[in-house]
Amino acid sequence: MKFKIGSIVCMCAVLFSSEIEAQSNTITYKKDGFWQQQADYSMSIDMDVESYQFKGTQTIKYTNNSPDVLDRVYYHLYFNAFQPGSEMDARLQSIQDPDGRMTTNIGTKENPVFESRISKLTEDEMGYIKVKSLQQNGKSLSYEIEGTVMIVNLSSPIQPGETVNFDMEFDGQVPVQIRRSGRNNKEGVSLSMTQWYPKLAEYDDEGWHADPYIAREFYGVWGNFDVKITIDKDYIIGGTGYLQNADEIGYGYTDADVKHKGKKLTWHFKAPNVHDFTWAADPDFIHDTMQVPNGPLLHFFYQNTMPEDKLDNWKKLQPKTAELMQYFSKHIGDYPYEQYSVIQGGDGGMEYAMCTLITGERSYGSLVGVTAHEMAHTWFQFLLATNEAKHEWMDEGFTSYISALAMNEVMDRNADNPVSGSYRGYVYLANSGVEQPLTTHADRYSINQAYGISAYSKGAVFIAQLGYIIGDDNLKRTIKKYYDDFSFKHPKPMDVVRTAERVSGLELDWYLIDFAQTTNTIDYAVKGIEGNTVTLERIGVMPMPIDLTVTYTDGSTEDYYIPLRMMRGQKPSSATVKADWAWAHQTYSFEASKTVKSVQIDPKGMMADIKKDNNTFPASE
Ligand SMILES: [Zn+2]
C-alpha cells in the first residue's frame, strides 16, 4: 500500500543450495530442513450485484508439509472486520491518529473529532463471511468464530505429509468500502474484492499465524487457485489469475466478437502458485492490454466515466508500466507470470497477486508513482512474501526503496539520492520520541505515524544504508540473490542479512540487531582537526563504518574510509583506507596526508546519522 504521513509522503542464505522446480503448476523445494504448507483452492461464487451478497463454495486441498501433527486449522474471515464492534472498529476509535479514509470528522477542522465509519455501518452495509458448512474429507467439522478468525478443531488430526480436503459453503456480503476492499469506492468502482474469501491461515516453522484483521497486512499459504465468479453479464472483471474462458467472456480478453446470452456470465480463472486471489469488477471498465517485450501481458482496467484528462493519463501510464516491469525484472529478478494487471479500485494503492488495485483519478505523476510502488510490491509482498504482520519493513521498505530508484530512472528525475525522502522521514521519527523497533508487530505500534515511517522510511533506509555499508555493487548483487534464493519461501530478516554477508564476505549481524531490533541511533561527529590530525567521535550507540571527505588548506580533497572492526573486513572503496575503528572506543584519530582545512562525514548522505550538524568541521562548512 501507499502511506501518507502528514507532510512526509512515503511511496509508498542460508544459501540453501535450493532448487525451485516448476512442474505443471506446482513448485517443490529441495532444501535441507525447509518446508512449507500447500493449499490449493477451488472456489465458485455467485454474486448478486444489487444486494452485494454472494454465495460461495470452496474446496481447499491442504497438504501438511510440516513435521508436526495438526489438530486445528484456522481460517481468516477478513470481511468480518467491517462490522460495528469489531477489533478494527475498536482500534479505529482508540488510536490517536486514525486513518482518514476510515473515519468521518464530526468536529471542526481545528478541533477534529473522528468517528469510526465502521461503527455506523448498518446490517446491509457491513461486511461478513458466514460459514454454512465445513467438512474434512467428507465429514462435518465443528468450528468457532472469533471476529475475523475461525478456529476449526479437527476430528482427525492431519499427519505430517498428509493431504486433506476441506469443503465449505459460505455466504458473504461485500461491505461499503472502508479500507482496501468493498463496494462502490469513492471513485464509483462497484466491487473491490480483496480478502473476500475464507482463507486458510499460514502455519510455518514459527507455528500458526492466525492474526486478527485489525489494520495491517497479510500472510498466506502458497497454492494453486481455480476460481469461478458468476456475476451480471454487464460487469467486467480484472484480477489475479488467467482467464480460462475468454471465448465466452470477450471484453478485451479476446479479439473475437462475443455475444453474451442470459443474465449472468461465469468467469473462470486459474492462478498457479499464489497466496491470495483478488478481483475487481465494474460495468464501466475499459480494458486495455500491452505486451512487455520478453515479459508479461499487462492489463489495464479503468472506468470510462472519468474526466478526459484522467483517461489520457491511463493511456500514458501503459508504456511506463511496461518500463517499470522491465526495471524491476532487471534489478530484482524475472517476473515469473504471464500477466500483470493495473486495476482501478480500492482506496489508494494496494498490492495483490499478479495485480494491483489503485485509485485512478490521479495526476499523471501520481498515477505512475503509485503503479511503480504497487508493482514493486510484486517482488517483496507477493513473490518473496515475507510475513507482513511481523516484518512489514521488509515489504514496504524494500518496495519503497526499489520503486524510488525505478521512478528516478523511468521518469528521468536524475536525483543524486532517490531515497532521500525516506532518510528524512526516518531521522524525523528517530528524533520524535515515538519510535518503536522494527520488530514491533505491525498492529502494535502506538500510533499509525510510527508504523508508517518505520515500515516505509526506515525499511527503505535499511536497504539503502546496507549499500553504504557493503558497497553499491554488493547491494545490487544482494538484492538479486535474495530474490533468487528466497522467492516463494517467506524469508525472514536474517535471510536478507545472511545474503548480504555471503555476497560481501563481511559480518553484518550487528546491523540487523542495532537498526531493526532496537531503536539505537547513529550519531558520529567530527570532534576536531589539528594540522594533519582528524579526530572523530561516536556519540550514538549504533556502530557504523565511516566514509569521509577531507578538504586540505591547499584546496584539494581526499576521500577516506574507516572500516568498522566488528565487520572483519571492508567494502570495495576507492578512498584511502585507514585503520579500523573498534566500536567501544568513543573517539578515533587519524593522520591525513596534508594540513586539513575541513572535514565532512558521509558527504553522500547514505548513513542515517540523526544529527547532521556535527558531521562537518568547522561547523560552518
Ligand atoms: Zn506499499
PDB file of all heavy atoms in Angstrom, residues 296-309:
ATOM      1  N   PRO A 296       5.516 -10.140 -19.287  1.00  0.00           N
ATOM      2  CA  PRO A 296       4.100 -10.488 -19.252  1.00  0.00           C
ATOM      3  C   PRO A 296       3.237  -9.563 -20.113  1.00  0.00           C
ATOM      4  O   PRO A 296       3.688  -8.500 -20.553  1.00  0.00           O
ATOM      5  CB  PRO A 296       3.757 -10.302 -17.775  1.00  0.00           C
ATOM      6  CG  PRO A 296       4.678  -9.227 -17.324  1.00  0.00           C
ATOM      7  CD  PRO A 296       5.963  -9.422 -18.087  1.00  0.00           C
ATOM      8  N   LEU A 297       1.990  -9.983 -20.300  1.00  0.00           N
ATOM      9  CA  LEU A 297       0.986  -9.116 -20.908  1.00  0.00           C
ATOM     10  C   LEU A 297       0.397  -8.253 -19.792  1.00  0.00           C
ATOM     11  O   LEU A 297      -0.069  -8.778 -18.777  1.00  0.00           O
ATOM     12  CB  LEU A 297      -0.113  -9.962 -21.564  1.00  0.00           C
ATOM     13  CG  LEU A 297      -1.197  -9.200 -22.329  1.00  0.00           C
ATOM     14  CD1 LEU A 297      -0.613  -8.503 -23.567  1.00  0.00           C
ATOM     15  CD2 LEU A 297      -2.340 -10.131 -22.742  1.00  0.00           C
ATOM     16  N   LEU A 298       0.455  -6.957 -19.978  1.00  0.00           N
ATOM     17  CA  LEU A 298      -0.119  -6.045 -18.979  1.00  0.00           C
ATOM     18  C   LEU A 298      -1.584  -5.801 -19.314  1.00  0.00           C
ATOM     19  O   LEU A 298      -1.939  -5.626 -20.490  1.00  0.00           O
ATOM     20  CB  LEU A 298       0.627  -4.709 -18.980  1.00  0.00           C
ATOM     21  CG  LEU A 298       2.122  -4.760 -18.688  1.00  0.00           C
ATOM     22  CD1 LEU A 298       2.731  -3.365 -18.854  1.00  0.00           C
ATOM     23  CD2 LEU A 298       2.378  -5.283 -17.277  1.00  0.00           C
ATOM     24  N   HIS A 299      -2.410  -5.791 -18.277  1.00  0.00           N
ATOM     25  CA  HIS A 299      -3.826  -5.450 -18.442  1.00  0.00           C
ATOM     26  C   HIS A 299      -4.115  -4.185 -17.638  1.00  0.00           C
ATOM     27  O   HIS A 299      -3.608  -4.021 -16.532  1.00  0.00           O
ATOM     28  CB  HIS A 299      -4.724  -6.568 -17.900  1.00  0.00           C
ATOM     29  CG  HIS A 299      -4.601  -7.860 -18.649  1.00  0.00           C
ATOM     30  ND1 HIS A 299      -5.597  -8.343 -19.468  1.00  0.00           N
ATOM     31  CD2 HIS A 299      -3.603  -8.772 -18.694  1.00  0.00           C
ATOM     32  CE1 HIS A 299      -5.231  -9.506 -19.979  1.00  0.00           C
ATOM     33  NE2 HIS A 299      -4.018  -9.792 -19.529  1.00  0.00           N
ATOM     34  N   PHE A 300      -4.954  -3.325 -18.203  1.00  0.00           N
ATOM     35  CA  PHE A 300      -5.358  -2.093 -17.514  1.00  0.00           C
ATOM     36  C   PHE A 300      -6.878  -2.030 -17.499  1.00  0.00           C
ATOM     37  O   PHE A 300      -7.513  -2.204 -18.545  1.00  0.00           O
ATOM     38  CB  PHE A 300      -4.787  -0.865 -18.230  1.00  0.00           C
ATOM     39  CG  PHE A 300      -3.289  -0.863 -18.283  1.00  0.00           C
ATOM     40  CD1 PHE A 300      -2.610  -1.513 -19.309  1.00  0.00           C
ATOM     41  CD2 PHE A 300      -2.541  -0.231 -17.290  1.00  0.00           C
ATOM     42  CE1 PHE A 300      -1.226  -1.536 -19.357  1.00  0.00           C
ATOM     43  CE2 PHE A 300      -1.156  -0.246 -17.326  1.00  0.00           C
ATOM     44  CZ  PHE A 300      -0.493  -0.907 -18.357  1.00  0.00           C
ATOM     45  N   PHE A 301      -7.438  -1.817 -16.319  1.00  0.00           N
ATOM     46  CA  PHE A 301      -8.895  -1.692 -16.179  1.00  0.00           C
ATOM     47  C   PHE A 301      -9.183  -0.358 -15.502  1.00  0.00           C
ATOM     48  O   PHE A 301      -8.719  -0.116 -14.389  1.00  0.00           O
ATOM     49  CB  PHE A 301      -9.448  -2.830 -15.305  1.00  0.00           C
ATOM     50  CG  PHE A 301      -9.219  -4.207 -15.876  1.00  0.00           C
ATOM     51  CD1 PHE A 301      -8.051  -4.898 -15.592  1.00  0.00           C
ATOM     52  CD2 PHE A 301     -10.172  -4.814 -16.690  1.00  0.00           C
ATOM     53  CE1 PHE A 301      -7.827  -6.171 -16.113  1.00  0.00           C
ATOM     54  CE2 PHE A 301      -9.960  -6.089 -17.213  1.00  0.00           C
ATOM     55  CZ  PHE A 301      -8.780  -6.771 -16.927  1.00  0.00           C
ATOM     56  N   TYR A 302      -9.937   0.497 -16.186  1.00  0.00           N
ATOM     57  CA  TYR A 302     -10.250   1.809 -15.604  1.00  0.00           C
ATOM     58  C   TYR A 302     -11.575   2.281 -16.189  1.00  0.00           C
ATOM     59  O   TYR A 302     -11.931   1.955 -17.309  1.00  0.00           O
ATOM     60  CB  TYR A 302      -9.115   2.804 -15.882  1.00  0.00           C
ATOM     61  CG  TYR A 302      -8.717   2.929 -17.335  1.00  0.00           C
ATOM     62  CD1 TYR A 302      -9.097   4.037 -18.087  1.00  0.00           C
ATOM     63  CD2 TYR A 302      -7.959   1.931 -17.953  1.00  0.00           C
ATOM     64  CE1 TYR A 302      -8.732   4.138 -19.425  1.00  0.00           C
ATOM     65  CE2 TYR A 302      -7.605   2.024 -19.292  1.00  0.00           C
ATOM     66  CZ  TYR A 302      -7.995   3.128 -20.023  1.00  0.00           C
ATOM     67  OH  TYR A 302      -7.652   3.224 -21.348  1.00  0.00           O
ATOM     68  N   GLN A 303     -12.284   3.068 -15.377  1.00  0.00           N
ATOM     69  CA  GLN A 303     -13.647   3.427 -15.750  1.00  0.00           C
ATOM     70  C   GLN A 303     -13.686   4.454 -16.871  1.00  0.00           C
ATOM     71  O   GLN A 303     -12.942   5.434 -16.842  1.00  0.00           O
ATOM     72  CB  GLN A 303     -14.377   4.001 -14.537  1.00  0.00           C
ATOM     73  CG  GLN A 303     -14.599   2.983 -13.442  1.00  0.00           C
ATOM     74  CD  GLN A 303     -15.371   3.615 -12.299  1.00  0.00           C
ATOM     75  OE1 GLN A 303     -16.499   3.243 -12.024  1.00  0.00           O
ATOM     76  NE2 GLN A 303     -14.751   4.559 -11.640  1.00  0.00           N
ATOM     77  N   ASN A 304     -14.621   4.233 -17.804  1.00  0.00           N
ATOM     78  CA  ASN A 304     -14.766   5.172 -18.921  1.00  0.00           C
ATOM     79  C   ASN A 304     -15.478   6.452 -18.506  1.00  0.00           C
ATOM     80  O   ASN A 304     -15.667   7.352 -19.307  1.00  0.00           O
ATOM     81  CB  ASN A 304     -15.515   4.493 -20.078  1.00  0.00           C
ATOM     82  CG  ASN A 304     -16.908   4.029 -19.671  1.00  0.00           C
ATOM     83  OD1 ASN A 304     -17.479   4.511 -18.686  1.00  0.00           O
ATOM     84  ND2 ASN A 304     -17.464   3.084 -20.418  1.00  0.00           N
ATOM     85  N   THR A 305     -15.849   6.533 -17.217  1.00  0.00           N
ATOM     86  CA  THR A 305     -16.628   7.687 -16.745  1.00  0.00           C
ATOM     87  C   THR A 305     -15.755   8.806 -16.196  1.00  0.00           C
ATOM     88  O   THR A 305     -16.258   9.852 -15.813  1.00  0.00           O
ATOM     89  CB  THR A 305     -17.584   7.229 -15.632  1.00  0.00           C
ATOM     90  OG1 THR A 305     -16.839   6.457 -14.688  1.00  0.00           O
ATOM     91  CG2 THR A 305     -18.712   6.385 -16.185  1.00  0.00           C
ATOM     92  N   MET A 306     -14.431   8.602 -16.142  1.00  0.00           N
ATOM     93  CA  MET A 306     -13.609   9.661 -15.551  1.00  0.00           C
ATOM     94  C   MET A 306     -13.341  10.773 -16.570  1.00  0.00           C
ATOM     95  O   MET A 306     -13.489  10.567 -17.778  1.00  0.00           O
ATOM     96  CB  MET A 306     -12.331   9.100 -14.927  1.00  0.00           C
ATOM     97  CG  MET A 306     -11.343   8.424 -15.824  1.00  0.00           C
ATOM     98  SD  MET A 306      -9.861   7.937 -14.882  1.00  0.00           S
ATOM     99  CE  MET A 306     -10.054   6.191 -14.703  1.00  0.00           C
ATOM    100  N   PRO A 307     -12.958  11.974 -16.079  1.00  0.00           N
ATOM    101  CA  PRO A 307     -12.721  13.107 -16.988  1.00  0.00           C
ATOM    102  C   PRO A 307     -11.669  12.767 -18.055  1.00  0.00           C
ATOM    103  O   PRO A 307     -10.795  11.930 -17.821  1.00  0.00           O
ATOM    104  CB  PRO A 307     -12.209  14.215 -16.067  1.00  0.00           C
ATOM    105  CG  PRO A 307     -12.636  13.822 -14.691  1.00  0.00           C
ATOM    106  CD  PRO A 307     -12.742  12.338 -14.673  1.00  0.00           C
ATOM    107  N   GLU A 308     -11.771  13.452 -19.185  1.00  0.00           N
ATOM    108  CA  GLU A 308     -10.916  13.188 -20.355  1.00  0.00           C
ATOM    109  C   GLU A 308      -9.418  13.196 -20.012  1.00  0.00           C
ATOM    110  O   GLU A 308      -8.668  12.319 -20.450  1.00  0.00           O
ATOM    111  CB  GLU A 308     -11.212  14.267 -21.410  1.00  0.00           C
ATOM    112  CG  GLU A 308     -10.887  13.870 -22.843  1.00  0.00           C
ATOM    113  CD  GLU A 308     -11.687  12.668 -23.331  1.00  0.00           C
ATOM    114  OE1 GLU A 308     -12.928  12.630 -23.099  1.00  0.00           O
ATOM    115  OE2 GLU A 308     -11.075  11.767 -23.918  1.00  0.00           O
ATOM    116  N   ASP A 309      -8.984  14.186 -19.219  1.00  0.00           N
ATOM    117  CA  ASP A 309      -7.541  14.286 -18.921  1.00  0.00           C
ATOM    118  C   ASP A 309      -7.074  13.103 -18.071  1.00  0.00           C
ATOM    119  O   ASP A 309      -5.951  12.632 -18.201  1.00  0.00           O
ATOM    120  CB  ASP A 309      -7.213  15.620 -18.229  1.00  0.00           C
ATOM    121  CG  ASP A 309      -7.980  15.812 -16.926  1.00  0.00           C
ATOM    122  OD1 ASP A 309      -9.176  15.430 -16.870  1.00  0.00           O
ATOM    123  OD2 ASP A 309      -7.395  16.333 -15.962  1.00  0.00           O
TER     124      ASP A 309
END
